[in-house]
């Protein structure tokens, strides 16, 4: 199972608290993750925490592109965490190898065609709308059935746009338009997502449903969850701290 390390180059990311918003700090953290054995570094310049406002494209690019260029020189494998086709394209050209789109192609009508044209792995996450008001969208009949069918629609759209089957990775979108119980139901039924036939990525790291008053208090639960998911057949986990996850997976 792969470990994707989160590198949020944002001043307002809920778990990093702006600690890595400076270029130097971001590159340093990226190099640390490489030393810790990270498989993919996921670089994002726009926070998607509940309630977050959008970041303009120029600002997003200014945050992520220099960091991608710097880490590419050190041989890093990187994904670009963006909802914008233009940012995805610039990031791939700067040295990133995968696109991680939390909107699954819904936020930017050019995204799927761009990913198809770039011919790189594309992570399609389950998403119901922008962070500003996503909590009001946490309404499901059966959350597992509904998320699977909405993901299925995104898979069809991606294939229709020309993304190759081999380049598609899916993600149930833990914490995105989902309440505590929805998140746990998805985790309890993760085998149903694996059965969809695509690699599955799970991003639960330090998210609110794990309890605790702040993100740092959710670290142990995150590591325990990685261990629990390790036998499930998922492709990877997206996490803040690389080393303990590598250790627990090798234990
Ligand atoms: N979560 C966040 C951002 N990007 N990408 C994927 N594929 N899956 C996720 O669950 C996901 C993501 C929000 O968390 P962060 O602010 O800690 O990065």
């Amino acid at each position: 199972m792969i470990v994707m390390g989160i590198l949020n180059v944002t001043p307002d990311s809920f778990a990093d608290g702006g600690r890595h918003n400076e270029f130097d700090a971001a590159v340093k953290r990226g190099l640390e993750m490489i030393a810790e054995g990270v498989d993919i570094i996921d670089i994002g310049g726009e926070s998607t925490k509940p309630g977050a406002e959008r970041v303009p494209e120029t600002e997003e690019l200014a945050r992520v592109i220099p960091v991608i260029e710097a880490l590419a020189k050190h041989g890093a494998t990187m994904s670009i965490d963006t909802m914008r086709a233009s940012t995805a394209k610039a990031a791939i050209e700067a040295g990133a190898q995968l696109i991680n789109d939390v909107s699954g192609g819904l936020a930017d009508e050019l995204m799927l065609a761009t990913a198809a044209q770039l011919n790189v792995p594309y992570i399609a996450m389950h998403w119901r709308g922008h962070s500003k008001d996503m909590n009001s969208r946490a309404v499901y009949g059966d959350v597992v059935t509904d998320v699977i069918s909405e993901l299925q629609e995104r898979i069809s759209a991606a294939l229709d746009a020309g993304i190759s089957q081999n380049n598609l990775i899916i993600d149930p979108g833990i914490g995105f338009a989902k309440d505590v119980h929805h998140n746990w139901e998805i985790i309890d039924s993760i085998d149903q997502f694996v059965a969809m036939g695509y690699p599955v990525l799970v991003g639960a790291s330090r998210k609110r449903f794990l309890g605790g008053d702040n993100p740092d208090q959710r670290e142990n639960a995150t590591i325990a969850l990685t261990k629990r998911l390790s036998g499930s057949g998922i492709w990877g986990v997206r996490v803040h701290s690389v080393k303990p996850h590598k250790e627990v997976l090798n234990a």
Side-chain angles (χ1 to χ4, degrees), residues 6 8 13-15 42 47-49 81 100 102 123 125 171 173-174 176 201-205 207 238 240:
I6 301 168
N8 286 327
S13 168
F14 75 90
D42 188 43
S47 173
T48 49
K49 79 174 187 185
D81 185 348
N100 175 23
V102 299
I123 301 164
M125 199 192 79
D171 183 328
I174 296 295
F176 285 79
L201 178 67
V202 174
S205 189
K207 286 184 179 169
R238 179 184 180 277
H240 294 88

Side-chain angles (χ1 to χ4, degrees), residues 209-225:
F209 78 108
L210 295 172
D213 294 332
N214 61 62
D216 288 341
Q217 289 182 7
R218 301 172 190 138
E219 179 61 6
N220 290 345
T222 305
I223 297 163
L225 187 54

Side-chain angles (χ1 to χ4, degrees), residues 169-238:
I169 297 158
I170 55 173
D171 183 328
I174 296 295
F176 285 79
K178 291 164 193 89
D179 67 23
V180 176
H181 302 290
H182 296 142
N183 292 317
W184 282 114
E185 274 185 62
I186 288 170
I187 284 166
D188 287 342
S189 307
I190 201 69
D191 55 320
Q192 293 187 46
F193 291 85
V194 173
M196 292 172 74
Y198 291 89
V200 174
L201 178 67
V202 174
S205 189
R206 301 182 188 173
K207 286 184 179 169
R208 261 178 233 184
F209 78 108
L210 295 172
D213 294 332
N214 61 62
D216 288 341
Q217 289 182 7
R218 301 172 190 138
E219 179 61 6
N220 290 345
T222 305
I223 297 163
L225 187 54
T226 289
K227 189 65 178 172
R228 175 172 160 188
L229 289 169
S230 65
S232 68
I234 67 164
W235 170 71
V237 285
R238 179 184 180 277

